[in-house]
Structures are given as C-alpha cells and as structure tokens.
Amino acid sequence: MIEKIKRGLKNNLQKINPWKKQRLNISPERQNSPVGLCLIVPASALKNLGEKEPINISNIERLIDNASYFLCTDIDEADDIFERIETTTEDIKTVSEQREVYVRINISDGEDMIGKKIPYILKRNLPHYGSANIIELACLKYLSISGLEKFNRI
C-alpha cells in the first residue's frame, strides 16, 4: 500500500515539474545577458552622472526623454557602434550644455528593450529590478549620420 502511494506521488511530481518548467521558461542565458542602451543626449542632461557609475531607472527615463538618437541592443553590437562613432577626449563637464554626448548604459535583465523603436515603449520595458551602469560617456566630434545609421532618430 505504501509503495503504491509513493509511486502515485512520484507520478504526480513528474507531471507538475514539466508544467512548471514550461510556465516559467527562464533560461540562465536570458537572466545574465545585459543589454546596451546607447543614447545621444545634450550635455545638460547628464547632471551629476558619471562614467562607470550606477544609474537608477528614473535617470535612465530622463535620459531617454532628452535623447535625439537612441538604440538598445546586445553588448557586442553596442561595442561595435561605439567604435564607429567619432568622439573627442573633451571633459563633458566643461563643454557647452547643448553639446551632443554619447551615453552607453548596460542594463541587466533588459532583453525586452532590445530593438524597440519608440521611446515610450523603450521606457515601458525598462526592468525595475537588476542593475544599470553607465559604461561610456563621450562628446561627439560631429553629429552626422556617420556612425548613427543604426540608431533610432527622435
């Protein structure tokens, strides 16, 4: 009798586990793959923000609102894009407030943001958990289409 109960429980657990795996459908790669949010904003939008620093969701939303160009993509493509953009070594804190600046933010768990072409939808898909860090800040040498072809223009 006890053996029959054990088999029944085992069968029930086997039925439940596949359902749980299917329902959750979370892979380790998805959880650990940050995205690169690339923005072109005026220097005035970078108040109190610095390179290699964490950034909160409200500041990311503010930067998106101030962006003239934006793109959210995987980390490798974000690296390639930065290499194609012409930047200067000028200190961002000393340039004109209207000067265009490239900002790259790595966001963990932001896969739902990749490929979004409308700022509102990009902001709506910002994860409210995880972490975000400013990876690159650089003044643009020229605000020309060169290097910005993959960006979405606002």
Side-chain angles (χ1 to χ4, degrees):
M1 177 79 163
I2 293 177
E3 205 56 42
K4 187 176 182 181
I5 293 172
K6 284 183 181 178
R7 269 185 288 171
L9 286 174
K10 187 176 180 182
N11 287 338
N12 284 341
L13 287 174
Q14 288 173 344
K15 289 177 186 175
I16 291 171
N17 284 339
W19 177 81
K20 260 188 169 177
K21 286 179 189 172
Q22 226 176 14
R23 184 173 156 237
L24 295 176
N25 197 17
I26 298 172
S27 68
E29 299 85 33
R30 181 178 167 108
Q31 288 179 330
N32 296 328
S33 57
V35 299
L37 176 61
C38 306
L39 305 166
I40 306 297
V41 299
S44 61
L46 297 171
K47 297 175 186 165
N48 302 321
L49 298 176
E51 194 172 65
K52 310 292 186 220
E53 292 182 3
I55 182 170
N56 63 37
I57 298 299
S58 62
N59 280 332
I60 295 172
E61 289 174 339
R62 185 176 52 79
L63 289 176
I64 292 170
D65 288 338
N66 283 282
S68 54
Y69 291 87
F70 70 93
L71 174 69
C72 191
T73 186
D74 63 72
I75 297 298
D76 293 333
E77 186 172 0
D79 290 338
D80 291 342
I81 286 169
F82 182 68
E83 289 176 16
R84 286 183 287 193
I85 294 175
E86 291 188 58
T87 60
T88 69
T89 57
E90 294 173 86
D91 183 5
I92 291 166
K93 292 179 171 113
T94 62
V95 298
S96 162
E97 289 186 351
Q98 296 307 311
R99 184 71 179 270
E100 296 290 334
V101 177
Y102 171 83
V103 179
R104 171 160 158 215
I105 303 167
N106 281 4
I107 303 171
S108 66
D109 299 324
E111 296 86 4
D112 292 336
M113 297 173 64
I114 291 179
K116 302 304 183 226
K117 299 191 182 299
I118 300 171
Y120 168 76
I121 295 173
L122 187 67
K123 291 190 313 184
R124 187 181 69 195
N125 287 314
L126 272 166
H128 292 283
Y129 50 86
S131 63
N133 293 302
I134 298 174
I135 302 301
E136 301 280 351
L137 286 176
C139 289
L140 293 181
K141 191 171 186 177
Y142 307 107
L143 185 58
S144 65
I145 200 68
S146 177
L148 300 177
E149 344 24 65
K150 293 193 176 195
F151 280 72
N152 300 295
R153 172 97 169 110
I154 298 178

